Amino acid sequence: MKATLFILSLLLVGLNSCSSDIQENEIKHEEDLSTKINTFLNQLENWKASEVKYFNQLGKEISKADTLLTFFSFKNKYENNAFIFSAESPKAFNSFEESDLLKEEIFTKQPYKVWRRKVNHLRILDLSIEPHPTLKWIFVIRLRNQE
């Protein structure tokens, strides 16, 4: 009887330890994803044409870290010259919306959300969350000329 209780106690302690490790890994993963998203968005404010490869790589890393997202590079078939993240639900883009860049200056018209930022005082960075006929929902990043 004592041996059985001892073995069960060891199993309980071992499982509890594993649970703590899993929680720590989840927190680290969330921080890592948040860091990648903030880096991606903050670098966009100083967007230069020569950095497209860098943004494409960061976008791929973000979609690997968050499996709810699919990334389409700058030269994609849905909207050429735009970075696109797609998802089944707009809630998948919450990590983007919580970033420092998008916390302010929002223009919304349901079901769309649109942010506009000046880039290098010459162009406008247009970021939006919108429905898409084949991709369900997209978070799209476009660089536009001044209007």
Side-chain angles (χ1 to χ4, degrees):
M1 181 72 140
K2 287 183 183 180
T4 304
L5 287 175
F6 180 72
I7 292 171
L8 289 174
S9 296
L10 286 176
L11 282 173
L12 184 62
V13 169
L15 290 174
N16 194 19
S17 156
C18 289
S19 175
S20 297
D21 290 344
I22 291 170
Q23 288 174 346
E24 288 175 18
N25 285 339
E26 287 176 359
I27 290 169
K28 185 179 183 300
H29 174 73
E30 288 175 15
E31 289 173 354
D32 191 38
L33 177 62
S34 177
T35 300
K36 286 179 183 180
I37 288 173
N38 278 321
T39 300
F40 184 83
L41 294 176
N42 289 333
Q43 292 295 319
L44 285 170
E45 283 193 294
N46 300 309
W47 185 340
K48 294 179 183 93
S50 61
E51 297 174 330
V52 168
K53 283 184 180 180
Y54 171 71
F55 291 125
N56 283 336
Q57 183 60 37
L58 267 177
K60 289 175 189 173
E61 290 176 18
I62 290 167
S63 68
K64 281 182 187 176
D66 186 342
T67 57
L68 297 176
L69 301 172
T70 303
F71 177 71
F72 297 91
S73 64
F74 193 66
K75 300 286 184 187
N76 65 76
K77 68 180 182 179
Y78 296 102
E79 186 170 340
N80 202 8
N81 297 330
F83 299 105
I84 299 175
F85 289 90
S86 71
E88 291 288 319
S89 163
K91 291 179 183 177
F93 304 120
N94 285 348
S95 297
F96 288 98
E97 290 187 71
E98 293 168 0
S99 71
D100 294 335
L101 182 68
L102 301 185
K103 280 186 179 176
E104 54 191 66
E105 294 185 39
I106 185 172
F107 166 77
T108 60
K109 182 173 183 177
Q110 295 299 330
Y112 299 91
K113 292 183 181 179
V114 179
W115 296 263
R116 287 201 154 175
R117 308 288 286 200
K118 288 188 178 181
V119 176
N120 300 328
H121 304 291
L122 302 171
R123 303 183 92 180
I124 295 175
L125 184 61
D126 183 37
L127 304 104
S128 63
I129 296 174
E130 55 194 66
H132 190 275
T134 57
L135 298 175
K136 307 285 187 200
W137 284 89
I138 59 173
F139 175 65
V140 60
I141 302 152
R142 303 170 184 96
L143 190 60
R144 301 183 186 273
N145 292 324
Q146 284 278 29
E147 298 172 342

